[in-house]
Amino acid sequence: MSDTAVGFVVDPSRRVGIAEVVRSYGIAKVHNRIAQLRRTGMHFAAAAIERELEDARLLDPPEVFQARSA
């Protein structure tokens, strides 16, 4: 079990930060999840994750990310 999952099990009310998710699973998995959310019409959720990544300075500028995922 990842450190992120363990932390959540210990205290389910604790909000897991995007940096913890990236550290535990890697940025590629996060990018894959964003793409999956977009494919299934969950654009608001995808945008929320992208905003968190941007705020944490873990995301390329949007035009670079968009070009890479196309």
Side-chain angles (χ1 to χ4, degrees), residues 1-68:
M1 187 179 292
S2 74
D3 292 339
T4 302
V6 170
F8 184 75
V9 170
V10 170
D11 183 3
S13 65
R14 182 177 158 264
R15 185 176 186 280
V16 176
I18 194 67
E20 292 176 87
V21 173
V22 170
R23 187 172 37 257
S24 294
Y25 298 99
I27 194 70
K29 290 217 181 199
V30 175
H31 284 254
N32 288 341
R33 180 63 176 145
I34 291 167
Q36 179 187 34
L37 288 167
R38 290 210 185 279
R39 281 192 309 272
T40 59
M42 303 288 288
H43 300 285
F44 184 80
I49 294 170
E50 287 174 332
R51 274 192 306 278
E52 283 193 54
L53 288 171
E54 285 182 53
D55 290 348
R57 302 207 189 290
L58 297 170
L59 181 68
D60 295 332
E63 62 275 4
V64 174
F65 177 70
Q66 293 298 331
R68 200 175 356 160

